[in-house]
């Protein structure tokens, strides 16, 4: 519960950060982090076309640099892109200058007003600085598809258990999440469609 869906009381500590969309509508915002990845993103783009859904991709600048055609293909197919840093630094940037440099590099590669910090973590002053330049997007549901130790069925269960009106849901198009995401994401979409949900980009 604490990981998959962070309670409202904790969300208030980060004012200005977007955790959830419109709570009054049956709408879900699918987001895919850490791509573009040549092993996983093309499959995902085809699957989104098949399901007739537009999603939001929080791209890593370094991956955009390595796979520019794939990045352009995401946009060409009508999806939104957001900034997810350049090098996806683990944990928090203790070196503020390195953080600024990473952000500047990512911004030079990804044209967007959306930002999601790697691992969802920043120092408060960094959250404030980034929210002046971007809409800072965290999430309502994190599926934990990035954890290969969890079985794919568990990822599906997390998605449908916590998904609700206005949920911003995190999946990953990284290689590590491939097995879990490919199982859980289409199945969860079919479930949500049956429940009457629509899908929108951020
Ligand atoms: Zn990430």
């Amino acid at each position: 519960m604490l990981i998959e869906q962070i309670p409202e009381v904790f969300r208030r500590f980060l004012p200005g950060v977007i955790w959830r969309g419109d709570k009054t509508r049956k709408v879900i915002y699918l987001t895919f982090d850490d791509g573009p990845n040549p092993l996983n993103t093309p499959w995902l783009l085809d699957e989104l076309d098949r399901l007739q859904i537009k999603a939001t991709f929080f791209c890593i600048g370094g991956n955009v640099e390595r796979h520019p055609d794939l990045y352009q293909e995401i946009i060409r197919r009508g999806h939104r892109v957001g900034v997810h840093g350049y090098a996806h630094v683990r944990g928090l940037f203790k070196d503020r200058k390195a953080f600024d440099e990473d952000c500047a590099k990512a911004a030079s590669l990804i044209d967007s007003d959306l930002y999601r910090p790697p691992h969802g973590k920043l120092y408060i002053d960094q959250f404030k600085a980034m929210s002046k330049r971007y809409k800072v997007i965290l999430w309502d549901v994190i599926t934990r598809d990035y954890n290969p130790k969890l079985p794919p069925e568990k990822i599906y269960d997390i998605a449908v258990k916590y998904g609700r009106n206005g949920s911003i849901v995190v999946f990953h198009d990284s290689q590590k999440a491939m097995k879990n995401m490919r199982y859980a994401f289409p199945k969860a979409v079919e479930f949500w469609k049956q429940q009457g949900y629509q899908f929108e980009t951020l």
Side-chain angles (χ1 to χ4, degrees), residues 54-81:
K54 303 297 182 205
T56 305
F57 287 73
F58 285 94
C59 298
I60 294 175
N63 287 345
V64 171
E65 202 167 51
R66 280 184 285 277
H67 312 292
D69 294 349
L70 201 44
Y71 171 72
Q72 289 301 331
E73 186 64 10
I74 293 169
I75 296 164
R76 197 187 67 75
R77 302 239 197 150
H79 303 291
R80 276 208 81 187
V81 290

Side-chain angles (χ1 to χ4, degrees), residues 62-199:
N63 287 345
V64 171
E65 202 167 51
R66 280 184 285 277
H67 312 292
D69 294 349
L70 201 44
Y71 171 72
Q72 289 301 331
E73 186 64 10
I74 293 169
I75 296 164
R76 197 187 67 75
R77 302 239 197 150
H79 303 291
R80 276 208 81 187
V81 290
V83 179
H84 195 45
Y86 176 79
H88 206 273
V89 171
R90 287 214 159 266
L92 296 167
F93 272 94
K94 291 197 172 62
D95 181 343
R96 305 303 167 106
K97 193 163 164 275
F99 174 74
D100 290 344
E101 282 169 7
D102 184 277
C103 291
K105 254 174 125 176
S108 73
L109 290 154
I110 302 160
D111 183 20
S112 179
D113 64 343
L114 303 177
Y115 173 76
R116 174 175 281 161
H119 308 279
K121 289 176 183 157
L122 291 178
Y123 290 104
I124 293 288
D125 64 308
Q126 291 170 331
F127 266 115
K128 280 186 184 153
M130 294 310 275
S131 63
K132 281 182 192 147
R133 287 163 56 193
Y134 294 99
K135 283 185 214 162
V136 178
I137 312 287
L138 288 178
W139 53 77
D140 189 45
V141 181
I142 190 150
T143 62
R144 301 176 71 195
D145 59 342
Y146 51 78
N147 185 347
K149 287 182 191 153
L150 293 175
E153 295 80 9
K154 170 76 178 167
I155 307 306
Y156 168 76
D157 288 345
I158 291 170
V160 301
K161 179 177 176 189
Y162 294 107
R164 55 186 175 174
N165 282 9
S167 277
I168 298 170
V169 180
V170 184
F171 288 98
H172 291 77
D173 53 333
S174 59
Q175 195 174 340
K176 202 168 67 166
M178 198 150 76
K179 191 169 160 227
N180 280 341
M181 185 275 280
R182 288 188 184 191
Y183 175 86
F185 139 70
K187 220 165 163 269
V189 165
E190 297 296 353
F191 172 84
W192 286 321
K193 279 186 171 177
Q194 281 171 13
Q195 302 284 310
Y197 283 98
Q198 294 187 321
F199 300 87

